[in-house]
Amino acid sequence: MTDTLLPNGIKDSGGDSSYFRKGCNPYAQTGRSKLQNKRASLNQQIIKQMRMRAGAENLLKASSNNKVKEMVLLELSYVNSNLQLLMGQLEGLNSSVEVYQNTQETANIPLIALGLKETKEVDFSTLFKDFILEHYSEDRNNYEDEIADLMDLRQSCRTPSRNEAGVELLAKYFSHLPLMESRFFSPSRQTGIFFTWYDSFTGVPVCQQNLSLEKASILFNMAALYSQIGTRSDRQTTAGLEEAISSFQKAAGVLNHLKETFTHTPSYDMSPAMLSMLIRMMLAQAQECLFEKTALPGIRNQFYSLMKMAQEAAKVSEIYDQVHQSMIQTPIKDNVPFFWSTMSQVKTNHYRSMAHYFVASALLDHQLGPSDDEDQQEKTLSQVYDRLPEGRSPLDILKKKEERERIGKAHIRRAILGHEEALRIYSLCHHLNKLEALQDILKASHQRSLNKYSENKNEDEFTDYTEAPDIISKTEHKAEMEVPAMTKVKVTDFFQRLGPLSVFSAKQRWTAPRTIRLRPEDRDMGFTLKGETPVQVVSLDPLCPAAADGLKEGDYIVAVGDTDCKWLGVSEVMRLLKDVNEEGIDIQVVTMMESNPTMPTKSATFCGNLPKTYSMICLAYDDDDKNPKSRKVTKKSSFISWGLKNKLKSASTLSLPTADHSGALPWNKPCPTFPSSSSYNNDSALY
């Protein structure tokens, strides 16, 4: 199965129906999309079996009838068996790496790509419209287009294309999430919107009412998309290898950003331990591509070139060994596909054997000649070994032909043993057996080592049991995490007509717009304006007609006549008020209200059939929390000075309100509600 377009039977009718957002094509039937299709179907089946298991377990606890208990236990055994089969099928999808490879890729070892997390469709329309009417006091129907655009953008993110446009689409939606959070997610009330995402390894759904899970899952899918771009690259060309290296480094950077930002995400595939393993795996694959880039022009059959490539191969082996060690740890090994850990083990042995083969070739094929730099070769050989067999020195190995051949043959024997081990591990995993290209590469490397050994084998000599020393890993180009600029895409707020976020946000409270009639006296309105947008009334004359009509110090002007001026500055508003005649003009103003101190709301999390509760303090990312030393500590005023300050403040110009993070009593807040079980029966996105 390859990632080529297949006929889908859908005709382009033209017009609006043929339009898709850039970076998205839900009708594209590729091998990868069919894989995601199967993943969505498996997720629904896993949910059904988990519900049946939960019901059977509850019945088992509640029943005292032995006959009923026997029947329930029998049913539980069937359900658990079905769950194991479904988990095995999901593991098979995560092991289908051939789908993500380049169609022409036959000479390189396959790489592992992450599958996209699945999500359920979310309807923002009703709840956002109600919030606009209640909180912003505006006509809810005026924002139907903006809500539709937002929903269309999220829907497009479920089927991103596997290129930079697809990554940009996810980054665009990710940049919109903080704006949406500021507009509609109040710290003092729940929105009633549930975001459901499925674990990419277990298929278990996680549901939350805040945007932390949504943000984390979009970041995970961005990293997954980068990994798929890396595996698709043509690694037979320098440009393709550079694209693969950059993609895997960006995937590692996004995963590291996810790990540092969202530390309490309830989905297991985004837990710190799992993310650490995934970061190592992405960097290992980037290092493997760096090695392939070095070897692409060809390896010169010279002493120094062979020693350099030996240390480069040892570096790749070392990193994959670290990946394998992290995969077999107790919390991770139960969820990581067996294919992944087996592949990392195969690559560990394969590249270690290649390192020993290169050292053997350097020692056996290149004797120290009169024109060779003896000191330089001695220095190079001493940097390759961390220790030498007892009684031997680098100079002895280089000068004495017998010692040189003995150590060289020891390296080639160790290379042969390593290739045999790689082939043995390869045969243990039936998913690996499907990768014929991998088997061909392992067998060819093994045969090459056997040929090298037979060329230098002497039938007359006794069996030599000299053990080859370990090779020190070293690289000139180390794979590093790279945070892509895509994570910070500039976007235009869909709901900017509601006004500047510094004032008109979900956490602020203000009165409903009031109409004030302005009648200038001697071209004097009785107040002045200040601020950016929206402008604020200051220096109000308490005896002016506007004050008598209800205008207050610190009010924000949101409209002058029929002109909305939430985004107008002082000069622009003054221009509107300059030519007011004696009859006057109506303006609309709002007054900021003191926000009641509230505790950060708790986010209800629904994972499988077990409700959990996570505080937004843990789930939200805060730069100040990350660097406690940078916090400003304000000195508490005494009681007398406090009273004086407040008296002065009440008589001075009102300032813009600031965010209040203090907390209210928890029993004054409404309890979060969970979605009904029927909400899990809807189909996931079909690719």
Side-chain angles (χ1 to χ4, degrees):
M1 187 184 294
T2 60
D3 194 26
T4 54
L5 283 173
L6 304 174
N8 54 19
I10 297 174
K11 297 180 180 179
D12 187 358
S13 59
D16 294 338
S17 60
S18 62
Y19 168 78
F20 295 111
R21 190 180 291 272
K22 183 180 178 182
C24 162
N25 187 1
Y27 290 163
Q29 292 187 8
T30 63
R32 180 177 65 100
S33 64
K34 288 187 173 183
L35 209 64
Q36 290 296 126
N37 231 0
K38 293 178 182 177
R39 187 187 297 273
S41 175
L42 282 175
N43 287 336
Q44 296 300 320
Q45 294 180 56
I46 289 173
I47 286 299
K48 180 180 178 181
Q49 295 298 324
M50 289 185 68
R51 282 206 210 96
M52 292 177 64
R53 184 174 69 177
E57 288 174 347
N58 291 336
L59 181 59
L60 189 65
K61 293 176 182 178
S63 177
S64 58
N65 190 315
N66 292 333
K67 188 70 174 177
V68 172
K69 285 187 175 183
E70 288 179 7
M71 294 176 63
V72 172
L73 286 172
L74 181 61
E75 184 65 26
L76 268 176
S77 66
Y78 285 132
V79 171
N80 287 328
S81 177
N82 289 338
L83 268 175
Q84 292 223 342
L85 289 174
L86 292 172
M87 294 293 186
Q89 293 180 38
L90 191 59
E91 180 181 345
L93 294 184
N94 289 324
S95 304
S96 301
V97 296
E98 68 276 7
V99 176
Y100 300 103
Q101 309 302 312
N102 187 280
T103 54
Q104 307 299 324
E105 194 67 72
T106 56
N108 296 93
I109 298 179
L111 300 171
I112 296 174
L114 300 178
L116 298 177
K117 287 175 68 70
E118 286 287 332
T119 183
K120 297 178 70 172
E121 190 172 350
V122 176
D123 185 4
F124 296 121
S125 57
T126 303
L127 294 169
F128 277 14
K129 283 181 181 180
D130 292 345
F131 194 84
I132 289 171
L133 178 63
E134 297 171 11
H135 189 77
Y136 292 96
S137 302
E138 296 206 20
D139 187 352
R140 50 187 286 171
N141 296 321
N142 289 341
Y143 292 87
E144 288 183 351
D145 291 341
E146 287 84 349
I147 295 173
D149 287 341
L150 177 62
M151 292 175 62
D152 177 59
L153 178 59
R154 188 183 190 275
Q155 183 69 14
S156 300
C157 288
R158 301 173 71 185
T159 55
S161 55
R162 188 165 55 149
N163 50 33
E164 289 293 332
V167 177
E168 186 177 357
L169 178 69
L170 293 176
K172 185 177 180 181
Y173 179 62
F174 181 78
S175 298
H176 272 291
L177 290 177
L179 299 174
M180 182 170 67
E181 187 173 26
S182 299
R183 293 288 189 193
F184 298 104
F185 288 78
S186 171
S188 59
R189 59 179 284 186
Q190 295 287 357
T191 59
I193 297 175
F194 289 87
F195 298 95
T196 303
W197 288 85
Y198 295 90
D199 191 297
S200 60
F201 294 107
T202 64
V204 176
V206 178
C207 183
Q208 279 193 347
Q209 287 197 75
N210 67 31
L211 283 172
S212 296
L213 178 64
E214 185 88 348
K215 294 176 184 176
S217 299
I218 292 295
L219 281 178
F220 185 93
N221 277 0
M222 285 179 65
L225 213 53
Y226 272 123
S227 72
Q228 293 177 17
I229 293 173
T231 56
R232 181 208 56 186
S233 303
D234 184 4
R235 289 150 62 199
Q236 296 300 310
T237 63
T238 302
L241 281 169
E242 288 176 350
E243 181 187 35
I245 293 165
S246 176
S247 298
F248 286 123
Q249 290 184 149
K250 287 177 180 177
V254 173
L255 289 171
N256 186 64
H257 179 62
L258 170 59
K259 176 187 172 186
E260 293 181 348
T261 306
F262 302 94
T263 56
H264 290 77
T265 307
S267 185
Y268 185 75
D269 55 357
M270 295 186 288
S271 63
M274 182 64 77
L275 289 175
S276 297
M277 183 276 294
L278 294 177
I279 291 169
R280 288 195 185 98
M281 187 174 71
M282 294 297 116
L283 290 177
Q285 296 188 141
Q287 192 68 50
E288 183 179 1
C289 293
L290 282 167
F291 173 80
E292 292 175 353
K293 182 183 176 183
T294 306
L296 185 63
I299 302 171
R300 299 176 66 184
N301 191 16
Q302 295 179 351
F303 182 83
Y304 300 109
S305 298
L306 291 169
M307 287 297 186
K308 173 188 171 184
M309 292 306 297
Q311 290 189 295
E312 292 281 356
K315 185 66 177 179
V316 178
S317 173
E318 179 186 57
I319 296 177
Y320 270 113
D321 185 49
Q322 293 172 359
V323 173
H324 178 253
Q325 293 302 319
S326 63
M327 285 183 179
I328 60 176
Q329 299 301 316
T330 304
I332 300 177
K333 68 178 181 180
D334 296 331
N335 295 292
V336 169
F338 179 64
F339 171 89
W340 288 17
S341 59
T342 308
M343 175 70 90
S344 61
Q345 207 172 359
V346 166
K347 289 187 177 183
T348 299
N349 287 278
H350 173 70
Y351 283 104
R352 184 185 295 132
S353 300
M354 288 182 66
H356 285 287
Y357 174 83
F358 288 135
V359 173
S361 298
L363 293 175
L364 295 173
D365 298 346
H366 301 279
Q367 301 295 330
L368 185 63
S371 61
D372 293 330
D373 189 341
E374 181 180 304
D375 293 337
Q376 185 63 30
Q377 285 202 13
E378 181 185 6
K379 180 181 177 182
T380 301
L381 191 61
S382 62
Q383 290 176 346
V384 169
Y385 296 141
D386 58 348
R387 62 173 183 82
L388 285 170
E390 189 175 352
R392 293 182 175 92
S393 66
L395 194 58
D396 292 337
I397 296 173
L398 291 172
K399 282 187 172 182
K400 297 177 181 179
K401 183 179 179 181
E402 296 79 8
E403 286 294 326
R404 192 170 184 134
E405 290 183 352
R406 186 177 290 112
I407 297 297
K409 289 178 182 178
H411 278 292
I412 203 66
R413 284 196 300 270
R414 192 162 174 186
I416 292 171
L417 290 174
H419 286 308
E420 290 174 350
E421 179 66 11
L423 285 167
R424 185 189 69 82
I425 296 171
Y426 166 85
S427 64
L428 296 178
C429 180
H430 69 278
H431 291 297
L432 273 179
N433 294 332
K434 299 176 183 177
L435 303 177
E436 296 180 359
L438 175 59
Q439 185 181 25
D440 293 341
I441 292 171
L442 295 178
K443 286 184 175 180
S445 300
H446 182 233
Q447 188 61 46
R448 184 179 58 181
S449 297
L450 288 173
N451 294 339
K452 176 66 70 175
Y453 184 74
S454 61
E455 290 172 7
N456 295 272
K457 186 177 181 182
N458 189 351
E459 298 293 342
D460 298 332
E461 67 181 3
F462 293 103
T463 304
D464 189 359
Y465 295 102
T466 302
E467 184 179 354
D470 292 331
I471 299 172
I472 297 176
S473 64
K474 182 181 178 182
T475 180
E476 294 181 357
H477 306 285
K478 184 181 179 182
E480 301 284 354
M481 288 182 292
E482 179 183 344
V483 179
M486 288 283 188
T487 55
K488 297 179 181 178
V489 176
K490 290 185 178 180
V491 294
T492 302
D493 185 8
F494 283 130
F495 302 94
Q496 62 177 349
R497 287 196 293 136
L498 291 173
L501 271 172
S502 58
V503 176
F504 299 100
S505 64
K507 66 182 179 182
Q508 306 283 12
R509 296 174 64 243
W510 56 89
T511 61
R514 309 189 310 278
T515 301
I516 305 295
R517 188 71 176 178
L518 292 185
R519 298 180 180 85
E521 295 181 350
D522 298 329
R523 304 191 63 81
D524 183 15
M525 295 290 180
F527 58 86
T528 59
L529 301 176
K530 78 161 192 176
E532 298 293 330
T533 56
V535 296
Q536 198 173 16
V537 175
V538 295
S539 304
L540 177 65
D541 182 1
L543 301 179
C544 71
D549 203 16
L551 188 64
K552 299 178 182 178
E553 180 89 10
D555 280 353
Y556 290 95
I557 299 179
V558 296
V560 175
D562 296 330
T563 305
D564 188 297
C565 58
K566 294 189 188 77
W567 287 97
L568 300 184
V570 173
S571 59
E572 295 165 309
V573 175
M574 290 300 294
R575 194 178 300 116
L576 294 174
L577 297 176
K578 182 174 65 174
D579 299 326
V580 176
N581 54 28
E582 295 180 356
E583 294 181 1
I585 190 173
D586 287 337
I587 65 170
Q588 286 193 333
V589 298
V590 296
T591 304
M592 297 301 298
M593 300 170 61
E594 289 292 333
S595 298
N596 293 329
T598 57
M599 279 288 288
T601 58
K602 291 184 177 180
S603 169
T605 303
F606 191 78
C607 179
N609 286 321
L610 300 176
K612 301 178 181 178
T613 303
Y614 287 83
S615 171
M616 276 186 64
I617 297 176
C618 299
L619 290 173
Y621 175 61
D622 193 348
D623 288 326
D624 294 337
D625 290 340
K626 195 174 176 183
N627 189 7
K629 294 183 180 179
S630 64
R631 294 180 182 173
K632 294 182 179 179
V633 180
T634 55
K635 185 178 180 181
K636 292 185 177 180
S637 304
S638 65
F639 178 78
I640 298 176
S641 63
W642 180 85
L644 182 60
K645 278 187 177 182
N646 279 274
K647 185 176 180 180
L648 292 173
K649 185 176 180 182
S650 63
S652 64
T653 302
L654 292 179
S655 59
L656 288 175
T658 57
D660 192 350
H661 299 288
S662 56
L665 298 177
W667 49 79
N668 291 331
K669 294 185 298 183
C671 295
T673 57
F674 292 96
S676 63
S677 59
S678 60
S679 65
Y680 287 98
N681 293 327
N682 299 330
D683 291 335
S684 259
L686 298 183
Y687 281 67

